[in-house]
Amino acid sequence: MGSSDYSMPLGDSPDLCLVIPTPAERIQCLKSNALEWKGVLDSDQYIQRENHLMSQEMTKDGAMTCWVLVDRKLAPDNRPILSSCESFGKRALLAHDGKIEDITAHGVGSVFCRPEFRRRGYAGRMITELAKKLDTWQQENTVRKKGVFSVLYSDIGKTFYGERGWKAFPSSHFSLPSISKDKFRQGVSGVDLGLVRDMQADDVKRLMCSDVVMERYHQVLRDASRGSQKAKVGFLPDYAAMSWHWAREEFYAKILIPEKGEPKVKGACVESRKVFVSWNRNFGSTEKDNVLYILRTLYEEPKSPAEENAVVEAIAATLYRAQLEAYEWGKNRVEIWNPSPIVEKAVALLNPTAKVEHREKNSICSLKWNGKQLGLGEDVDWYWNEKFAWC
Ligand SMILES: CC(C)(COP(=O)(O)OP(=O)(O)OC[C@H]1O[C@@H](n2cnc3c(N)ncnc32)[C@H](O)[C@@H]1OP(=O)(O)O)[C@@H](O)C(=O)NCCC(=O)NCCS
């Protein structure tokens, strides 16, 4: 169909619908949005990256879905793609009134509209349709048969998604600079790197993602919901979530710096103090994107001031190790999302002048809560809102 035969529909046209693209249409979407997101990759490498990320534990067997907004009157493979995005069905927990449920919740990403189609309401319409779709999508095997919540990470501020139900949640981070080995020799008082052990993927699996740890997440959320007015939700920081991030860094490392080998160190821990930190490296096209992200900081809540000191020191030591790793991989800084008060104290040990940054435009953690309609209350607390949950 020649584009001159077709007049573009309005964003609120009843002819528009949200469907799953054909394989060829998916590639067409990737070729269009490569302009926005391929970064240092060429278009073919970008498509390879996306295929690689789609075949991970977290995304395979249909857990990840591509969506396109199209005109229902037109035939697949022969219709303009008006807007596109992806959804990721992930393991999550819901706790209310002291009860805990394993649920599937969705992350939404890669919201895109081709430059020549912009400002006609297509992305907005797509997101509105997606909200309806996610109410039941991939919920067949769950108890409620309904989606309880979904999240996305807005790079266009808080209004566009906020108006469509995805409310902005805390979106802050600390940055710590990368540190060279030379500087490291001078040390930081109160921080003992001798305590720290590196973790490879298997260690993270064993120490941060075991069944015992997953059970502890259930307990923490269940306990928090007892006597609380508000329901609590969170994505599980499981191995599937961690390894999806690592699939990305490993893809980049292989292409950009094959001589360096795989990035094997995936985190650090002070096992005796039950402090564990996992991370991944971002390979951006600009300096500001070259970051080592802390995916998850795991520790047990201290029960006394002495215990707290020990945990704070241990977290500081693992973050210091992260700063060295960042330097080693050419990253300019370490970023820790939504630090808890304990993590804040650890950061202060490393850098007393570090200031928490509240993001206003990029990576705004946004959550759509359907619990009100499901009798779970007006409002919700989002637990473990850290980088591992980003998609
Ligand atoms: C953001 C995007 C999907 C919007 O697509 P669209 O079809 O033009 O969206 P709509 O026509 O439904 O809505 C347009 C509204 O989106 C919002 N918007 C779009 N880009 C924005 C930006 N960079 N910052 C803040 N708001 C923005 C504005 O509210 C805008 O309304 P306005 O035209 O009155 O200012 C499109 O611009 C795009 O693909 N951008 C590049 C990729 C991207 O940033 N995606 C979002 C990732 S979270």
Side-chain angles (χ1 to χ4, degrees), residues 36-37 82-83 110-114 117-125 153-157 160-161 164 361:
E36 194 74 35
W37 290 314
L82 304 175
S83 190
S110 304
V111 173
F112 185 78
C113 175
R114 287 164 60 161
F117 293 171
R118 284 183 192 165
R119 306 187 88 150
R120 298 170 190 235
Y122 293 145
R125 173 68 181 275
Y153 295 83
S154 170
D155 288 331
I156 55 170
F160 179 77
Y161 294 107
R164 291 164 177 88
K361 184 146 171 75

PDB file of all heavy atoms in Angstrom, residues 36-37 82-83 110-114 117-125 153-157 160-161 164 361, ligand 1:
ATOM      1  N   GLU A  36      16.848   5.849  18.054  1.00  0.00           N
ATOM      2  CA  GLU A  36      16.767   6.393  19.408  1.00  0.00           C
ATOM      3  C   GLU A  36      17.671   5.639  20.385  1.00  0.00           C
ATOM      4  O   GLU A  36      18.279   6.228  21.265  1.00  0.00           O
ATOM      5  CB  GLU A  36      15.299   6.277  19.870  1.00  0.00           C
ATOM      6  CG  GLU A  36      14.943   7.070  21.083  1.00  0.00           C
ATOM      7  CD  GLU A  36      14.853   8.551  20.785  1.00  0.00           C
ATOM      8  OE1 GLU A  36      14.412   8.936  19.684  1.00  0.00           O
ATOM      9  OE2 GLU A  36      15.254   9.310  21.668  1.00  0.00           O
ATOM     10  N   TRP A  37      17.764   4.312  20.231  1.00  0.00           N
ATOM     11  CA  TRP A  37      18.316   3.505  21.317  1.00  0.00           C
ATOM     12  C   TRP A  37      19.518   2.639  20.968  1.00  0.00           C
ATOM     13  O   TRP A  37      20.012   1.919  21.819  1.00  0.00           O
ATOM     14  CB  TRP A  37      17.206   2.606  21.913  1.00  0.00           C
ATOM     15  CG  TRP A  37      16.195   3.387  22.677  1.00  0.00           C
ATOM     16  CD1 TRP A  37      16.455   4.365  23.597  1.00  0.00           C
ATOM     17  CD2 TRP A  37      14.771   3.294  22.585  1.00  0.00           C
ATOM     18  NE1 TRP A  37      15.283   4.877  24.082  1.00  0.00           N
ATOM     19  CE2 TRP A  37      14.226   4.237  23.483  1.00  0.00           C
ATOM     20  CE3 TRP A  37      13.890   2.505  21.838  1.00  0.00           C
ATOM     21  CZ2 TRP A  37      12.851   4.415  23.648  1.00  0.00           C
ATOM     22  CZ3 TRP A  37      12.528   2.680  22.013  1.00  0.00           C
ATOM     23  CH2 TRP A  37      12.019   3.627  22.913  1.00  0.00           C
ATOM     24  N   LEU A  82       1.933   2.602  14.085  1.00  0.00           N
ATOM     25  CA  LEU A  82       1.716   3.967  14.568  1.00  0.00           C
ATOM     26  C   LEU A  82       2.487   4.240  15.858  1.00  0.00           C
ATOM     27  O   LEU A  82       2.893   5.363  16.122  1.00  0.00           O
ATOM     28  CB  LEU A  82       0.216   4.205  14.768  1.00  0.00           C
ATOM     29  CG  LEU A  82      -0.642   3.935  13.512  1.00  0.00           C
ATOM     30  CD1 LEU A  82      -2.117   4.067  13.818  1.00  0.00           C
ATOM     31  CD2 LEU A  82      -0.229   4.883  12.382  1.00  0.00           C
ATOM     32  N   SER A  83       2.675   3.190  16.650  1.00  0.00           N
ATOM     33  CA  SER A  83       3.447   3.319  17.894  1.00  0.00           C
ATOM     34  C   SER A  83       3.765   1.907  18.369  1.00  0.00           C
ATOM     35  O   SER A  83       3.081   0.957  17.981  1.00  0.00           O
ATOM     36  CB  SER A  83       2.600   4.088  18.919  1.00  0.00           C
ATOM     37  OG  SER A  83       3.379   4.433  20.040  1.00  0.00           O
ATOM     38  N   SER A 110      10.396   0.549  26.111  1.00  0.00           N
ATOM     39  CA  SER A 110      10.586   0.841  24.676  1.00  0.00           C
ATOM     40  C   SER A 110       9.364   1.487  24.024  1.00  0.00           C
ATOM     41  O   SER A 110       8.997   1.151  22.885  1.00  0.00           O
ATOM     42  CB  SER A 110      10.966  -0.435  23.908  1.00  0.00           C
ATOM     43  OG  SER A 110      12.110  -1.016  24.470  1.00  0.00           O
ATOM     44  N   VAL A 111       8.729   2.400  24.743  1.00  0.00           N
ATOM     45  CA  VAL A 111       7.590   3.132  24.176  1.00  0.00           C
ATOM     46  C   VAL A 111       8.121   4.064  23.079  1.00  0.00           C
ATOM     47  O   VAL A 111       9.000   4.890  23.331  1.00  0.00           O
ATOM     48  CB  VAL A 111       6.859   3.948  25.271  1.00  0.00           C
ATOM     49  CG1 VAL A 111       5.791   4.849  24.669  1.00  0.00           C
ATOM     50  CG2 VAL A 111       6.251   3.002  26.306  1.00  0.00           C
ATOM     51  N   PHE A 112       7.569   3.907  21.882  1.00  0.00           N
ATOM     52  CA  PHE A 112       8.154   4.628  20.738  1.00  0.00           C
ATOM     53  C   PHE A 112       7.111   4.999  19.696  1.00  0.00           C
ATOM     54  O   PHE A 112       6.154   4.267  19.458  1.00  0.00           O
ATOM     55  CB  PHE A 112       9.217   3.727  20.074  1.00  0.00           C
ATOM     56  CG  PHE A 112       9.961   4.405  18.969  1.00  0.00           C
ATOM     57  CD1 PHE A 112      10.977   5.307  19.238  1.00  0.00           C
ATOM     58  CD2 PHE A 112       9.632   4.143  17.638  1.00  0.00           C
ATOM     59  CE1 PHE A 112      11.651   5.953  18.208  1.00  0.00           C
ATOM     60  CE2 PHE A 112      10.305   4.788  16.600  1.00  0.00           C
ATOM     61  CZ  PHE A 112      11.319   5.686  16.887  1.00  0.00           C
ATOM     62  N   CYS A 113       7.339   6.152  19.081  1.00  0.00           N
ATOM     63  CA  CYS A 113       6.546   6.561  17.914  1.00  0.00           C
ATOM     64  C   CYS A 113       7.523   7.174  16.908  1.00  0.00           C
ATOM     65  O   CYS A 113       8.386   7.988  17.282  1.00  0.00           O
ATOM     66  CB  CYS A 113       5.484   7.590  18.333  1.00  0.00           C
ATOM     67  SG  CYS A 113       4.559   8.270  16.950  1.00  0.00           S
ATOM     68  N   ARG A 114       7.421   6.766  15.663  1.00  0.00           N
ATOM     69  CA  ARG A 114       8.344   7.305  14.638  1.00  0.00           C
ATOM     70  C   ARG A 114       8.228   8.825  14.574  1.00  0.00           C
ATOM     71  O   ARG A 114       7.112   9.366  14.658  1.00  0.00           O
ATOM     72  CB  ARG A 114       7.968   6.748  13.273  1.00  0.00           C
ATOM     73  CG  ARG A 114       8.326   5.298  13.118  1.00  0.00           C
ATOM     74  CD  ARG A 114       7.606   4.713  11.937  1.00  0.00           C
ATOM     75  NE  ARG A 114       7.991   5.420  10.716  1.00  0.00           N
ATOM     76  CZ  ARG A 114       7.823   4.911   9.498  1.00  0.00           C
ATOM     77  NH1 ARG A 114       7.283   3.713   9.346  1.00  0.00           N
ATOM     78  NH2 ARG A 114       8.188   5.590   8.431  1.00  0.00           N
ATOM     79  N   PHE A 117       5.373  10.496  12.785  1.00  0.00           N
ATOM     80  CA  PHE A 117       3.999  10.252  13.258  1.00  0.00           C
ATOM     81  C   PHE A 117       3.722  10.904  14.618  1.00  0.00           C
ATOM     82  O   PHE A 117       2.644  10.707  15.191  1.00  0.00           O
ATOM     83  CB  PHE A 117       3.744   8.743  13.426  1.00  0.00           C
ATOM     84  CG  PHE A 117       3.730   7.937  12.150  1.00  0.00           C
ATOM     85  CD1 PHE A 117       3.702   6.545  12.189  1.00  0.00           C
ATOM     86  CD2 PHE A 117       3.740   8.556  10.907  1.00  0.00           C
ATOM     87  CE1 PHE A 117       3.683   5.786  11.029  1.00  0.00           C
ATOM     88  CE2 PHE A 117       3.720   7.799   9.728  1.00  0.00           C
ATOM     89  CZ  PHE A 117       3.691   6.415   9.790  1.00  0.00           C
ATOM     90  N   ARG A 118       4.696  11.632  15.125  1.00  0.00           N
ATOM     91  CA  ARG A 118       4.552  12.115  16.520  1.00  0.00           C
ATOM     92  C   ARG A 118       3.505  13.218  16.677  1.00  0.00           C
ATOM     93  O   ARG A 118       3.164  13.884  15.724  1.00  0.00           O
ATOM     94  CB  ARG A 118       5.919  12.616  17.041  1.00  0.00           C
ATOM     95  CG  ARG A 118       6.809  11.428  17.389  1.00  0.00           C
ATOM     96  CD  ARG A 118       8.148  11.807  17.971  1.00  0.00           C
ATOM     97  NE  ARG A 118       8.972  10.582  17.962  1.00  0.00           N
ATOM     98  CZ  ARG A 118      10.270  10.533  18.129  1.00  0.00           C
ATOM     99  NH1 ARG A 118      10.946  11.646  18.346  1.00  0.00           N
ATOM    100  NH2 ARG A 118      10.910   9.383  18.094  1.00  0.00           N
ATOM    101  N   ARG A 119       3.077  13.391  17.904  1.00  0.00           N
ATOM    102  CA  ARG A 119       2.157  14.450  18.326  1.00  0.00           C
ATOM    103  C   ARG A 119       0.786  14.357  17.652  1.00  0.00           C
ATOM    104  O   ARG A 119       0.130  15.358  17.400  1.00  0.00           O
ATOM    105  CB  ARG A 119       2.779  15.826  18.116  1.00  0.00           C
ATOM    106  CG  ARG A 119       4.130  15.927  18.811  1.00  0.00           C
ATOM    107  CD  ARG A 119       4.685  17.290  18.761  1.00  0.00           C
ATOM    108  NE  ARG A 119       4.198  18.035  19.909  1.00  0.00           N
ATOM    109  CZ  ARG A 119       4.860  19.004  20.480  1.00  0.00           C
ATOM    110  NH1 ARG A 119       6.027  19.354  20.020  1.00  0.00           N
ATOM    111  NH2 ARG A 119       4.354  19.638  21.496  1.00  0.00           N
ATOM    112  N   ARG A 120       0.406  13.132  17.349  1.00  0.00           N
ATOM    113  CA  ARG A 120      -0.955  12.902  16.841  1.00  0.00           C
ATOM    114  C   ARG A 120      -1.740  12.059  17.835  1.00  0.00           C
ATOM    115  O   ARG A 120      -2.797  11.543  17.528  1.00  0.00           O
ATOM    116  CB  ARG A 120      -0.905  12.136  15.525  1.00  0.00           C
ATOM    117  CG  ARG A 120      -0.204  12.846  14.395  1.00  0.00           C
ATOM    118  CD  ARG A 120      -0.037  11.853  13.260  1.00  0.00           C
ATOM    119  NE  ARG A 120       0.833  12.390  12.243  1.00  0.00           N
ATOM    120  CZ  ARG A 120       0.509  12.492  10.959  1.00  0.00           C
ATOM    121  NH1 ARG A 120      -0.672  12.088  10.561  1.00  0.00           N
ATOM    122  NH2 ARG A 120       1.367  12.973  10.090  1.00  0.00           N
ATOM    123  N   GLY A 121      -1.109  11.829  19.011  1.00  0.00           N
ATOM    124  CA  GLY A 121      -1.823  11.084  20.054  1.00  0.00           C
ATOM    125  C   GLY A 121      -1.652   9.565  19.969  1.00  0.00           C
ATOM    126  O   GLY A 121      -2.329   8.829  20.679  1.00  0.00           O
ATOM    127  N   TYR A 122      -0.744   9.080  19.106  1.00  0.00           N
ATOM    128  CA  TYR A 122      -0.636   7.619  18.941  1.00  0.00           C
ATOM    129  C   TYR A 122      -0.027   6.931  20.175  1.00  0.00           C
ATOM    130  O   TYR A 122      -0.552   5.926  20.641  1.00  0.00           O
ATOM    131  CB  TYR A 122       0.200   7.266  17.702  1.00  0.00           C
ATOM    132  CG  TYR A 122      -0.470   7.650  16.408  1.00  0.00           C
ATOM    133  CD1 TYR A 122       0.284   8.095  15.312  1.00  0.00           C
ATOM    134  CD2 TYR A 122      -1.853   7.564  16.260  1.00  0.00           C
ATOM    135  CE1 TYR A 122      -0.322   8.443  14.115  1.00  0.00           C
ATOM    136  CE2 TYR A 122      -2.472   7.929  15.063  1.00  0.00           C
ATOM    137  CZ  TYR A 122      -1.693   8.361  13.992  1.00  0.00           C
ATOM    138  OH  TYR A 122      -2.299   8.718  12.814  1.00  0.00           O
ATOM    139  N   ALA A 123       1.086   7.478  20.685  1.00  0.00           N
ATOM    140  CA  ALA A 123       1.700   6.821  21.856  1.00  0.00           C
ATOM    141  C   ALA A 123       0.743   6.865  23.052  1.00  0.00           C
ATOM    142  O   ALA A 123       0.588   5.885  23.780  1.00  0.00           O
ATOM    143  CB  ALA A 123       3.036   7.472  22.204  1.00  0.00           C
ATOM    144  N   GLY A 124       0.084   8.006  23.213  1.00  0.00           N
ATOM    145  CA  GLY A 124      -0.878   8.137  24.316  1.00  0.00           C
ATOM    146  C   GLY A 124      -1.985   7.098  24.193  1.00  0.00           C
ATOM    147  O   GLY A 124      -2.369   6.434  25.166  1.00  0.00           O
ATOM    148  N   ARG A 125      -2.510   6.940  22.976  1.00  0.00           N
ATOM    149  CA  ARG A 125      -3.582   5.967  22.738  1.00  0.00           C
ATOM    150  C   ARG A 125      -3.060   4.537  23.015  1.00  0.00           C
ATOM    151  O   ARG A 125      -3.741   3.722  23.637  1.00  0.00           O
ATOM    152  CB  ARG A 125      -4.060   6.090  21.280  1.00  0.00           C
ATOM    153  CG  ARG A 125      -5.058   5.025  20.877  1.00  0.00           C
ATOM    154  CD  ARG A 125      -6.392   5.205  21.607  1.00  0.00           C
ATOM    155  NE  ARG A 125      -7.328   4.149  21.227  1.00  0.00           N
ATOM    156  CZ  ARG A 125      -8.106   4.177  20.152  1.00  0.00           C
ATOM    157  NH1 ARG A 125      -8.083   5.236  19.341  1.00  0.00           N
ATOM    158  NH2 ARG A 125      -8.919   3.174  19.902  1.00  0.00           N
ATOM    159  N   TYR A 153       9.464   2.980  33.394  1.00  0.00           N
ATOM    160  CA  TYR A 153      10.515   3.933  33.780  1.00  0.00           C
ATOM    161  C   TYR A 153      10.513   5.048  32.738  1.00  0.00           C
ATOM    162  O   TYR A 153      11.064   4.882  31.654  1.00  0.00           O
ATOM    163  CB  TYR A 153      11.864   3.200  33.875  1.00  0.00           C
ATOM    164  CG  TYR A 153      11.831   2.177  34.991  1.00  0.00           C
ATOM    165  CD1 TYR A 153      11.277   0.906  34.790  1.00  0.00           C
ATOM    166  CD2 TYR A 153      12.270   2.492  36.264  1.00  0.00           C
ATOM    167  CE1 TYR A 153      11.178  -0.016  35.823  1.00  0.00           C
ATOM    168  CE2 TYR A 153      12.171   1.575  37.307  1.00  0.00           C
ATOM    169  CZ  TYR A 153      11.628   0.334  37.077  1.00  0.00           C
ATOM    170  OH  TYR A 153      11.524  -0.575  38.106  1.00  0.00           O
ATOM    171  N   SER A 154       9.855   6.141  33.073  1.00  0.00           N
ATOM    172  CA  SER A 154       9.659   7.200  32.079  1.00  0.00           C
ATOM    173  C   SER A 154      10.934   8.009  31.852  1.00  0.00           C
ATOM    174  O   SER A 154      11.583   8.431  32.802  1.00  0.00           O
ATOM    175  CB  SER A 154       8.550   8.139  32.558  1.00  0.00           C
ATOM    176  OG  SER A 154       8.511   9.276  31.724  1.00  0.00           O
ATOM    177  N   ASP A 155      11.237   8.255  30.577  1.00  0.00           N
ATOM    178  CA  ASP A 155      12.325   9.177  30.243  1.00  0.00           C
ATOM    179  C   ASP A 155      11.785  10.517  29.783  1.00  0.00           C
ATOM    180  O   ASP A 155      12.520  11.350  29.254  1.00  0.00           O
ATOM    181  CB  ASP A 155      13.207   8.566  29.137  1.00  0.00           C
ATOM    182  CG  ASP A 155      14.041   7.410  29.670  1.00  0.00           C
ATOM    183  OD1 ASP A 155      14.362   7.422  30.872  1.00  0.00           O
ATOM    184  OD2 ASP A 155      14.360   6.497  28.888  1.00  0.00           O
ATOM    185  N   ILE A 156      10.475  10.700  29.929  1.00  0.00           N
ATOM    186  CA  ILE A 156       9.860  11.961  29.481  1.00  0.00           C
ATOM    187  C   ILE A 156       9.080  12.625  30.626  1.00  0.00           C
ATOM    188  O   ILE A 156       8.011  13.177  30.415  1.00  0.00           O
ATOM    189  CB  ILE A 156       8.975  11.745  28.229  1.00  0.00           C
ATOM    190  CG1 ILE A 156       7.916  10.656  28.466  1.00  0.00           C
ATOM    191  CG2 ILE A 156       9.815  11.377  27.017  1.00  0.00           C
ATOM    192  CD1 ILE A 156       6.868  10.572  27.354  1.00  0.00           C
ATOM    193  N   GLY A 157       9.659  12.529  31.820  1.00  0.00           N
ATOM    194  CA  GLY A 157       9.043  13.214  32.954  1.00  0.00           C
ATOM    195  C   GLY A 157       7.864  12.441  33.530  1.00  0.00           C
ATOM    196  O   GLY A 157       7.691  11.245  33.273  1.00  0.00           O
ATOM    197  N   PHE A 160       3.094  12.662  31.230  1.00  0.00           N
ATOM    198  CA  PHE A 160       2.508  11.838  30.154  1.00  0.00           C
ATOM    199  C   PHE A 160       1.970  10.510  30.689  1.00  0.00           C
ATOM    200  O   PHE A 160       0.825  10.140  30.451  1.00  0.00           O
ATOM    201  CB  PHE A 160       3.588  11.606  29.083  1.00  0.00           C
ATOM    202  CG  PHE A 160       3.151  10.758  27.917  1.00  0.00           C
ATOM    203  CD1 PHE A 160       2.342  11.295  26.924  1.00  0.00           C
ATOM    204  CD2 PHE A 160       3.549   9.436  27.816  1.00  0.00           C
ATOM    205  CE1 PHE A 160       1.946  10.518  25.834  1.00  0.00           C
ATOM    206  CE2 PHE A 160       3.163   8.652  26.745  1.00  0.00           C
ATOM    207  CZ  PHE A 160       2.360   9.198  25.747  1.00  0.00           C
ATOM    208  N   TYR A 161       2.795   9.808  31.461  1.00  0.00           N
ATOM    209  CA  TYR A 161       2.360   8.512  31.992  1.00  0.00           C
ATOM    210  C   TYR A 161       1.456   8.693  33.214  1.00  0.00           C
ATOM    211  O   TYR A 161       0.540   7.906  33.436  1.00  0.00           O
ATOM    212  CB  TYR A 161       3.564   7.642  32.341  1.00  0.00           C
ATOM    213  CG  TYR A 161       4.371   7.251  31.129  1.00  0.00           C
ATOM    214  CD1 TYR A 161       5.616   7.830  30.876  1.00  0.00           C
ATOM    215  CD2 TYR A 161       3.889   6.318  30.223  1.00  0.00           C
ATOM    216  CE1 TYR A 161       6.350   7.484  29.755  1.00  0.00           C
ATOM    217  CE2 TYR A 161       4.616   5.968  29.099  1.00  0.00           C
ATOM    218  CZ  TYR A 161       5.854   6.553  28.873  1.00  0.00           C
ATOM    219  OH  TYR A 161       6.571   6.211  27.751  1.00  0.00           O
ATOM    220  N   ARG A 164      -2.034   8.835  32.555  1.00  0.00           N
ATOM    221  CA  ARG A 164      -2.585   7.560  32.070  1.00  0.00           C
ATOM    222  C   ARG A 164      -2.508   6.452  33.121  1.00  0.00           C
ATOM    223  O   ARG A 164      -2.615   5.282  32.812  1.00  0.00           O
ATOM    224  CB  ARG A 164      -1.867   7.161  30.777  1.00  0.00           C
ATOM    225  CG  ARG A 164      -2.230   8.112  29.651  1.00  0.00           C
ATOM    226  CD  ARG A 164      -1.302   8.049  28.463  1.00  0.00           C
ATOM    227  NE  ARG A 164      -1.775   8.953  27.415  1.00  0.00           N
ATOM    228  CZ  ARG A 164      -1.449  10.246  27.326  1.00  0.00           C
ATOM    229  NH1 ARG A 164      -0.639  10.785  28.220  1.00  0.00           N
ATOM    230  NH2 ARG A 164      -1.940  10.994  26.356  1.00  0.00           N
ATOM    231  N   LYS A 361      13.194  13.859  35.121  1.00  0.00           N
ATOM    232  CA  LYS A 361      12.823  13.603  33.720  1.00  0.00           C
ATOM    233  C   LYS A 361      13.116  12.161  33.290  1.00  0.00           C
ATOM    234  O   LYS A 361      12.287  11.502  32.680  1.00  0.00           O
ATOM    235  CB  LYS A 361      13.579  14.590  32.824  1.00  0.00           C
ATOM    236  CG  LYS A 361      13.211  14.477  31.364  1.00  0.00           C
ATOM    237  CD  LYS A 361      13.235  15.812  30.650  1.00  0.00           C
ATOM    238  CE  LYS A 361      13.076  15.657  29.146  1.00  0.00           C
ATOM    239  NZ  LYS A 361      11.730  15.358  28.716  1.00  0.00           N
TER     240      LYS A 361
HETATM  241  C1  LIG B   1       7.575   9.957  23.614  1.00  0.00           C
HETATM  242  C2  LIG B   1       6.901   9.485  22.347  1.00  0.00           C
HETATM  243  C3  LIG B   1       6.646   8.001  22.403  1.00  0.00           C
HETATM  244  C4  LIG B   1       5.562  10.237  22.215  1.00  0.00           C
HETATM  245  O1  LIG B   1       4.901   9.781  21.047  1.00  0.00           O
HETATM  246  P1  LIG B   1       3.687  10.589  20.427  1.00  0.00           P
HETATM  247  O2  LIG B   1       2.902   9.674  19.551  1.00  0.00           O
HETATM  248  O3  LIG B   1       4.194  11.825  19.813  1.00  0.00           O
HETATM  249  O4  LIG B   1       2.857  10.928  21.732  1.00  0.00           O
HETATM  250  P2  LIG B   1       1.429  11.603  21.815  1.00  0.00           P
HETATM  251  O5  LIG B   1       1.124  12.302  20.538  1.00  0.00           O
HETATM  252  O6  LIG B   1       0.439  10.590  22.298  1.00  0.00           O
HETATM  253  O7  LIG B   1       1.635  12.613  22.994  1.00  0.00           O
HETATM  254  C5  LIG B   1       2.496  13.691  22.856  1.00  0.00           C
HETATM  255  C6  LIG B   1       2.779  14.157  24.253  1.00  0.00           C
HETATM  256  O8  LIG B   1       3.790  13.347  24.815  1.00  0.00           O
HETATM  257  C7  LIG B   1       4.510  14.094  25.764  1.00  0.00           C
HETATM  258  N1  LIG B   1       5.929  14.066  25.369  1.00  0.00           N
HETATM  259  C8  LIG B   1       6.453  13.627  24.210  1.00  0.00           C
HETATM  260  N2  LIG B   1       7.792  13.754  24.248  1.00  0.00           N
HETATM  261  C9  LIG B   1       8.097  14.279  25.434  1.00  0.00           C
HETATM  262  C10 LIG B   1       9.311  14.646  26.070  1.00  0.00           C
HETATM  263  N3  LIG B   1      10.495  14.481  25.472  1.00  0.00           N
HETATM  264  N4  LIG B   1       9.251  15.154  27.324  1.00  0.00           N
HETATM  265  C11 LIG B   1       8.061  15.316  27.958  1.00  0.00           C
HETATM  266  N5  LIG B   1       6.880  14.989  27.405  1.00  0.00           N
HETATM  267  C12 LIG B   1       6.908  14.485  26.164  1.00  0.00           C
HETATM  268  C13 LIG B   1       3.976  15.486  25.724  1.00  0.00           C
HETATM  269  O9  LIG B   1       2.994  15.581  26.721  1.00  0.00           O
HETATM  270  C14 LIG B   1       3.329  15.528  24.358  1.00  0.00           C
HETATM  271  O10 LIG B   1       2.296  16.437  24.330  1.00  0.00           O
HETATM  272  P3  LIG B   1       2.503  17.810  23.535  1.00  0.00           P
HETATM  273  O11 LIG B   1       2.725  17.395  22.127  1.00  0.00           O
HETATM  274  O12 LIG B   1       1.230  18.549  23.755  1.00  0.00           O
HETATM  275  O13 LIG B   1       3.694  18.458  24.156  1.00  0.00           O
HETATM  276  C15 LIG B   1       7.758   9.823  21.088  1.00  0.00           C
HETATM  277  O14 LIG B   1       8.072  11.198  21.127  1.00  0.00           O
HETATM  278  C16 LIG B   1       9.040   9.020  20.998  1.00  0.00           C
HETATM  279  O15 LIG B   1       9.069   7.925  20.465  1.00  0.00           O
HETATM  280  N6  LIG B   1      10.164   9.588  21.531  1.00  0.00           N
HETATM  281  C17 LIG B   1      11.448   8.925  21.510  1.00  0.00           C
HETATM  282  C18 LIG B   1      11.498   7.713  22.423  1.00  0.00           C
HETATM  283  C19 LIG B   1      11.084   8.021  23.848  1.00  0.00           C
HETATM  284  O16 LIG B   1      11.544   8.974  24.470  1.00  0.00           O
HETATM  285  N7  LIG B   1      10.169   7.214  24.367  1.00  0.00           N
HETATM  286  C20 LIG B   1       9.638   7.339  25.706  1.00  0.00           C
HETATM  287  C21 LIG B   1      10.401   6.497  26.616  1.00  0.00           C
HETATM  288  S1  LIG B   1       9.763   6.565  28.259  1.00  0.00           S
END
